């Protein structure tokens, strides 16, 4: 029986492993960073992207997903704007949503990269063309505090309802069990 390599424990080691994977979306290796709201996905994605110089990061927050929406509301626009062109080997054009101004920004071209990081709730769902799935989690109380710190106390009730919906989604999809790497969202950075 072939031995399974141990999980990488630093961003450079993880980057090396990701670059060795076969492409999963045209020429790109799609890396899905998933987990519940406030777990540390965005921070992890930013650190990984810094090591994978030039790797674009597309986030669920780049799309308009109302608090009361299905967690996969952003997936159809992601597929249309980004994944379909990249999987065909063409450049994608993304207009990132600005949550503070409630409008989309200017068009941004994403040339087919060696690695594309997709971060957000549902990025590693069963229908994702991910080459590698990363699950990040942290205790609910910490995640809620981070979300309130990020979004404001006025969104606490909305976050609680969202948290219940994403928990149900993850359970139905089996997202965590499909992960290639489990990350403790409470661990200090830059190592995880």
């Amino acid at each position: 029986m072939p031995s399974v390599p141990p999980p990488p424990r630093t961003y450079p080691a993880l980057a090396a492993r990701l670059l060795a994977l076969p492409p999963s979306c045209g020429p790109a290796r799609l890396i899905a960073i998933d987990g519940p709201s406030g777990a540390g996905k965005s921070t992890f994605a930013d650190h990984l992207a810094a090591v994978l110089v030039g790797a674009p990061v597309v986030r669920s927050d780049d799309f308009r997903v109302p608090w009361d929406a299905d967690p996969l509301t952003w997936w159809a626009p992601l597929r249309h704007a980004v994944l379909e062109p990249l999987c065909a080997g063409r450049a994608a054009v993304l207009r990132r949503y600005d949550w503070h101004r409630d409008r989309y920004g200017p068009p941004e071209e994403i040339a087919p990269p060696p690695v594309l990081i997709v971060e957000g709730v549902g990025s590693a769902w069963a229908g994702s063309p991910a080459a590698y799935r990363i699950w990040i989690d942290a205790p609910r109380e910490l995640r809620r505090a981070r979300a309130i710190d990020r979004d404001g106390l006025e969104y606490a009730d909305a976050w609680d309802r969202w948290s219940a919906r994403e928990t149900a989604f993850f359970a139905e999809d089996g997202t965590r069990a499909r992960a290639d790497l489990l990350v403790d969202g409470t661990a200090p950075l830059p190592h995880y």
Side-chain angles (χ1 to χ4, degrees):
M1 181 158 137
S3 65
V4 177
R9 299 309 306 166
T10 66
Y11 289 102
L14 177 58
R17 179 168 297 176
L18 300 177
L19 287 167
L21 294 171
S24 63
C25 181
R29 294 141 187 88
L30 191 153
I31 309 308
I33 301 177
D34 209 332
S37 175
K41 298 181 301 296
S42 294
T43 302
F44 190 92
D46 291 343
H47 281 80
L48 183 57
V51 173
L52 289 162
V53 178
V57 179
V58 179
R59 305 171 193 281
S60 59
D61 285 347
D62 291 336
F63 302 89
R64 189 174 188 287
V65 180
W67 282 104
D68 59 350
D70 178 291
L72 287 183
T73 297
W74 65 289
W75 196 259
L78 169 74
R79 182 176 29 237
H80 175 72
V82 178
L83 300 183
E84 288 174 357
L86 291 180
C87 284
R90 299 187 319 268
V93 177
L94 176 63
R95 295 182 65 210
R96 297 179 194 266
Y97 184 70
D98 183 331
W99 286 90
H100 301 289
R101 294 190 172 104
D102 191 25
R103 65 177 184 222
Y104 286 91
E108 173 187 333
E109 186 172 292
I110 301 172
V115 175
L116 171 69
I117 299 170
V118 178
E119 175 269 312
V121 172
S123 62
W125 75 293
S128 173
Y132 199 84
R133 290 170 162 83
I134 300 169
W135 175 266
I136 301 180
D137 208 345
R140 185 181 191 285
E141 299 76 28
L142 175 59
R143 294 187 296 101
R144 187 175 193 273
R146 287 174 176 171
I148 290 170
D149 188 49
R150 177 190 67 206
D151 302 327
L153 187 57
E154 64 271 22
Y155 291 105
D157 290 340
W159 187 88
D160 289 337
R161 291 187 300 274
W162 171 263
S163 179
R165 270 192 305 287
E166 70 184 8
T167 298
F169 166 76
F170 289 139
E172 182 178 328
D173 182 65
T175 315
R176 185 182 189 281
R178 193 178 305 106
D180 298 295
L181 178 64
L182 302 176
V183 176
D184 177 359
T186 64
L189 295 171
H191 301 286
Y192 61 90

